Amino acid sequence: MDLYQELILEHSKRPFHTGLREGHQAEVHHVNPTCGDEVTLRVHLDGDGPHARLADISYEATGCSISTASTSMMAQEITGEEVAEAMQVHAGMKAMLTSKGEDPGDEEIIGDGVALAGVAKYPARVKCALLGWMALTDALAQAGVDPTALTATQGES
């Protein structure tokens, strides 16, 4: 448990991929109205469709340590991955975070994201942990990739 708390604090204090960079296909801004957390996220894709690579994810985030850490973990885990793979990570994170503590998360799929498993026991904090992920799905849609289609077909691969 201490290791997980350290991971969250480390990602919160020194987030990965922070700072908005140019050369993006999409930019979105999301706000969690419950607590005021905000994230502006940009994506740059190489290629098209589910096999496009997330060449760069950059963002600026303000808010709690859970929101910042989750967005940092997301950027670290999926930058450089194919969009289809990134959506599998998204599905794993969402399943864990919305499980009310029943799903401990799969480190093979979500990496450092397992550190956020305890958040699932606090429904008010789940939106904080999912803020960056929701921004990502919107940014992908804005860039011309339908993330809902990828999530719906991931089990069929």
Side-chain angles (χ1 to χ4, degrees), residues 3 5 8 10-11 22 62 70 88 99 105 109 140-141 146:
L3 173 63
Q5 289 175 341
I8 292 168
E10 190 64 28
H11 276 277
E22 294 303 320
T62 58
S70 182
Q88 288 179 354
S99 75
I109 295 172
L140 289 172
D146 181 0

Side-chain angles (χ1 to χ4, degrees), residues 85-150:
E85 250 181 71
M87 293 316 298
Q88 288 179 354
V89 178
H90 174 271
M93 283 293 293
K94 188 173 181 181
M96 178 189 72
L97 289 167
T98 59
S99 75
K100 298 182 179 161
E102 297 295 316
D103 180 353
D106 184 343
E107 190 172 359
E108 291 291 317
I109 295 172
I110 63 175
D112 284 356
V114 297
L116 297 166
V119 172
K121 295 177 184 174
Y122 304 95
R125 303 307 301 270
V126 170
K127 284 185 180 181
C128 299
L130 287 175
L131 184 65
W133 291 96
M134 296 299 105
L136 173 69
T137 59
D138 280 357
L140 289 172
Q142 192 180 95
V145 177
D146 181 0
T148 59
L150 295 173

